[in-house]
Amino acid sequence: MRAYYYDNLSGDQRLPHDLSPSRSVSKERLQALNVKIWTFSVDQYEGPLDAVAKQEGYTDRDTMVVSRDTLGAAYDGKIKFMFDEHLHDEEEARFIISGSGYYDVRETPSEEWIRIVFGPGDLISLPVGIYHRLTPDEANYIEALRLFRKRRATEMLETSLAEMAQLQQEKQEYEAKRDQLNIELHATEQKIIELQSKWGAIHNAMSAPVLELPNEITCMIFDHALVLSVRMAEDLAMMDAEAKLPPEMEVVISHVCHQWRSIALSYPQLWSHFCYDVMRSPLVPLERFDAYLDRSQSTGLELWFNFKGTYGEIEGVLTLLEKAVPHFARWRRFTLMADAETNVLSVLGPIFKKPVLAPMLEHFAICPSIDIDDQEIKKLEPMTFRKGAPNLRSVMLDLSGAVTFFPPINNLTTLRLEDPDQYGNARFSWPVFRDLLSLKSLVNLSIMMDAAFHKSEFKSDKGPPIAMDNLKNLRIANFDLLVMLLLFIRAPLLESLTMKELEFPRNFSTSAPGGGKSSNSPHSFPSIKYLCFINIEAETPAARHFAKMTPNATEITFSNGDYSESFFHAVASTAGAKEREKMWPKLRVINFNMEADSLDELLRLAKGRPKKDPITLRLFDDVNEMFRLGDFSSSARYEQLAKAYHIETINSQRNWLRQVRWPPASELGDVGLFADLCDPFNIDDYDE
């Protein structure tokens, strides 16, 4: 027998789970916990075991076998059950005939687990009330004798009869109380009906003005209430992911009064939006979806499905999708997110392989997270809606969605290629990716992929610049070569640029067309007003060069990452006050969300700026406290910062820097009713 403290690491319960170095537990410590252990020869155990049984009062025994042969398919569930922490109101005594495993007992008062290794010949007795658990080791076999104490049959019978009589008496008392409560409940319900009738008569006599509005105005009120309720639910979910959401507004509206219900049920637009998020409501509302499909009649549908987290285990999610597919001609906005285990391809594949037309489709987002390996997208040919989607303006795809469900993109204004989890290693060929960037109608582009295209195909010194004449909003992440693309695209209308998890190459300032000459007079994005750097690394020459490319920026966000290697540190470390003054001369706002080593760089960046109209420095409340009270700062130093900037704090509980809806609504017109709160470009408040 051997005992030691359990390492509390996750993993197979049948492994030793011994600390390194091991912390042994003595037999005396086990005895202090009233854990008794004897060891006999397994070949001649009957006599010694009988003696101990007589001494301890164990009068009964039986045999138990835990193995895959005896339990079959139930084995894994059985050993998991045995390993759940539990206790008994009688001693637990086991003699091991063959096999091996572990008893874990909870030490008091430390609450640590002590693991006892047992094998053939060991007799272990656990006291009443001790928390414990049991498991075989990797050999997956235990044969043991279970030993019990047994009370006299007459004593047990007398106790049982007395307890039964007491329980019967209590049962009759509660039945009498229940009957009385039922009488009172019936009388109360009748009174409620009477009062409701009187209230309704008075209310109808008053002729509520809202009920006299034309149906068209009432429907406009319904629309406004629906949008407002979804936005409020989003705000609530952002503040508390576990918060219970209110019921759907369309359902509430249809239960206010008879007149509103009549109007609501005859207003198809009210029922044309349907959202199912498995993480917030695991019950699949199949019947409710049927009602929405029926009540929306022929109106275009906005369908939003998030099956991520089901892992193929929640019944009904594919049935929900099967009900939606036949109505594809009515899809106006369709969003589907899933994990690989939820086989959405089995439902969508048959219909999407057919040459069908999607006449109403405006937005198509599909991220099925299918494992795609060694595939390359070499053509921009639609794989879905091959007869066309003339109104399609917005598309969001992960890599598996791009490989499997690529839609028509002739008229796109918004394209999001985002795969933060990166399933497989599929990618675009560089010529195809260049064609994507060259889409004339593109206004909003978001790319988050580990390898959007083959690095070997990208030749920075060949080919003309890529004209993106209508692009206004750009986001890039995860693939460093995307930074180099900034040197080769021409986007005169670009207003906002967000970058995340990227590193500016050392040769950034010398890699533009024309080589090193470009570093003195680089091409610029003249319309950029907003820049956002999320965990962006750069050295000073590259940072200085990029600042020259974005001279008219008025608001910049610096967030996350290693401060000493960050873009902010590089650009603020630029030598010479005059050169720093020339960088972003129109800068009005800095959103700062980093763990700084000092306040020097922030003070240096503000030096030479007009004091009458200082830059606004926005800090999350916890970052502001770090600056004010941090070890590297002092009250005098913080006061200098407060004089150099106009400081505003951002409430971490209401973080409006989160990009819940992208692109901005003004750029897309109808952005839809529902949004994914887990946008991969979200900016979370600084967390130590």
Side-chain angles (χ1 to χ4, degrees), residues 303-600:
L303 304 178
W304 198 93
F305 300 122
N306 181 13
F307 299 156
K308 281 193 172 182
T310 65
Y311 304 110
E313 296 176 358
I314 298 182
E315 296 182 3
V317 293
L318 289 182
T319 304
L320 200 66
L321 199 56
E322 289 168 353
K323 289 177 178 289
V325 165
H327 299 271
F328 69 87
R330 290 174 54 201
W331 290 357
R332 188 174 62 85
R333 300 183 62 85
F334 180 82
T335 299
L336 172 62
M337 291 173 285
D339 44 48
E341 290 81 1
T342 306
N343 188 12
V344 298
L345 189 61
S346 64
V347 178
L348 297 179
I351 187 66
F352 282 171
K353 287 180 181 178
K354 298 177 181 178
V356 297
L357 174 69
M360 294 187 180
L361 191 62
E362 299 171 7
H363 170 76
F364 182 66
I366 183 163
C367 302
S369 304
I370 302 169
D371 225 350
I372 301 293
D373 285 326
D374 299 323
Q375 294 198 38
E376 185 176 73
I377 302 174
K378 297 182 178 181
K379 295 181 180 179
L380 290 181
E381 294 182 352
M383 302 174 190
T384 61
F385 311 120
R386 282 180 288 160
K387 281 193 174 181
N391 294 305
L392 185 59
R393 298 291 183 271
S394 173
V395 167
M396 182 173 77
L397 304 166
D398 66 5
L399 261 178
S400 62
V403 170
T404 314
F405 300 111
F406 202 83
I409 58 171
N410 298 343
N411 302 314
L412 280 193
T413 59
T414 297
L415 176 60
R416 296 175 63 173
L417 299 172
E418 297 172 354
D419 200 341
D421 300 320
Q422 194 75 35
Y423 288 87
N425 59 357
R427 65 198 69 201
F428 293 88
S429 70
W430 166 242
V432 167
F433 194 78
R434 185 184 178 101
D435 289 344
L436 274 176
L437 299 179
S438 302
L439 287 173
K440 297 296 183 184
S441 57
L442 208 55
V443 176
N444 310 293
L445 176 62
S446 180
I447 305 171
M448 176 179 276
M449 292 182 173
D450 287 346
F453 51 84
H454 285 289
K455 293 183 180 180
S456 60
E457 294 182 344
F458 176 69
K459 304 297 183 183
S460 60
D461 57 343
K462 293 184 179 180
I466 302 170
M468 305 183 75
D469 294 337
N470 293 303
L471 189 68
K472 290 187 177 181
N473 301 291
L474 175 63
R475 307 194 302 183
I476 55 177
N478 290 15
F479 185 37
D480 289 345
L481 208 53
L482 293 174
V483 174
M484 299 299 290
L485 282 178
L486 298 176
L487 297 170
F488 302 96
I489 64 173
R490 300 295 182 264
L493 301 182
L494 186 63
E495 296 176 358
S496 75
L497 172 60
T498 298
M499 295 180 279
K500 182 175 183 179
E501 305 287 348
L502 295 170
E503 180 179 0
F504 277 73
R506 289 186 174 184
N507 63 342
F508 179 80
S509 60
T510 60
S511 296
K517 297 179 181 179
S518 64
S519 61
N520 296 320
S521 56
H523 87 87
S524 69
F525 298 107
S527 299
I528 276 191
K529 297 294 186 291
Y530 176 71
L531 292 171
C532 180
F533 302 91
I534 308 172
N535 194 12
I536 302 299
E537 297 182 1
E539 294 184 1
T540 297
R544 185 188 308 156
H545 185 85
F546 184 75
K548 292 178 180 179
M549 294 173 61
T550 55
N552 298 318
T554 59
E555 181 177 348
I556 305 178
T557 296
F558 300 100
S559 183
N560 305 96
D562 185 332
Y563 181 76
S564 63
E565 298 181 357
S566 68
F567 187 96
F568 173 80
H569 185 270
V571 77
S573 300
T574 296
K578 290 185 178 180
E579 187 171 3
R580 287 195 301 273
E581 291 172 23
K582 291 179 181 179
M583 287 191 304
W584 301 312
K586 300 180 181 180
L587 183 60
R588 305 305 313 131
V589 177
I590 295 178
N591 304 307
F592 195 83
N593 184 39
M594 302 184 73
E595 182 181 9
D597 295 336
S598 74
L599 301 183
D600 293 344

Side-chain angles (χ1 to χ4, degrees), residues 176-420:
K177 289 182 179 180
R178 179 197 61 195
D179 295 341
Q180 181 60 36
L181 288 173
N182 281 333
I183 294 172
E184 294 177 6
L185 178 62
H186 179 72
T188 302
E189 288 177 342
Q190 290 298 115
K191 189 63 177 179
I192 290 172
I193 293 172
E194 178 186 341
L195 294 172
Q196 180 66 32
S197 178
K198 290 180 179 180
W199 184 92
I202 296 172
H203 180 269
N204 291 337
M206 292 171 61
S207 185
V210 71
L211 298 180
E212 295 180 359
L213 292 173
N215 286 357
E216 293 83 357
I217 302 299
T218 303
C219 289
M220 291 174 64
I221 295 173
F222 290 171
D223 286 338
H224 181 75
L226 183 61
V227 173
L228 186 62
S229 69
V230 172
R231 300 295 181 266
M232 291 175 65
E234 288 176 355
D235 289 344
L236 180 62
M238 285 176 61
M239 290 188 290
D240 182 2
E242 303 298 325
K244 184 178 180 181
L245 297 182
E248 289 77 8
M249 180 56 67
E250 59 270 26
V251 177
V252 174
I253 286 171
S254 64
H255 286 79
V256 171
C257 65
H258 175 75
Q259 182 172 329
W260 275 23
R261 181 171 180 79
S262 177
I263 297 172
L265 293 182
S266 60
Y267 182 39
Q269 180 67 26
L270 188 64
W271 307 96
S272 64
H273 313 273
F274 186 84
C275 173
Y276 172 65
D277 188 342
V278 71
M279 300 307 293
R280 302 207 57 94
S281 176
L283 296 178
V284 183
L286 297 176
E287 294 183 0
R288 183 160 64 89
F289 188 41
D290 287 335
Y292 276 63
L293 291 174
D294 180 58
R295 294 173 184 178
S296 59
Q297 299 178 18
S298 60
T299 304
L301 297 170
E302 178 180 5
L303 304 178
W304 198 93
F305 300 122
N306 181 13
F307 299 156
K308 281 193 172 182
T310 65
Y311 304 110
E313 296 176 358
I314 298 182
E315 296 182 3
V317 293
L318 289 182
T319 304
L320 200 66
L321 199 56
E322 289 168 353
K323 289 177 178 289
V325 165
H327 299 271
F328 69 87
R330 290 174 54 201
W331 290 357
R332 188 174 62 85
R333 300 183 62 85
F334 180 82
T335 299
L336 172 62
M337 291 173 285
D339 44 48
E341 290 81 1
T342 306
N343 188 12
V344 298
L345 189 61
S346 64
V347 178
L348 297 179
I351 187 66
F352 282 171
K353 287 180 181 178
K354 298 177 181 178
V356 297
L357 174 69
M360 294 187 180
L361 191 62
E362 299 171 7
H363 170 76
F364 182 66
I366 183 163
C367 302
S369 304
I370 302 169
D371 225 350
I372 301 293
D373 285 326
D374 299 323
Q375 294 198 38
E376 185 176 73
I377 302 174
K378 297 182 178 181
K379 295 181 180 179
L380 290 181
E381 294 182 352
M383 302 174 190
T384 61
F385 311 120
R386 282 180 288 160
K387 281 193 174 181
N391 294 305
L392 185 59
R393 298 291 183 271
S394 173
V395 167
M396 182 173 77
L397 304 166
D398 66 5
L399 261 178
S400 62
V403 170
T404 314
F405 300 111
F406 202 83
I409 58 171
N410 298 343
N411 302 314
L412 280 193
T413 59
T414 297
L415 176 60
R416 296 175 63 173
L417 299 172
E418 297 172 354
D419 200 341

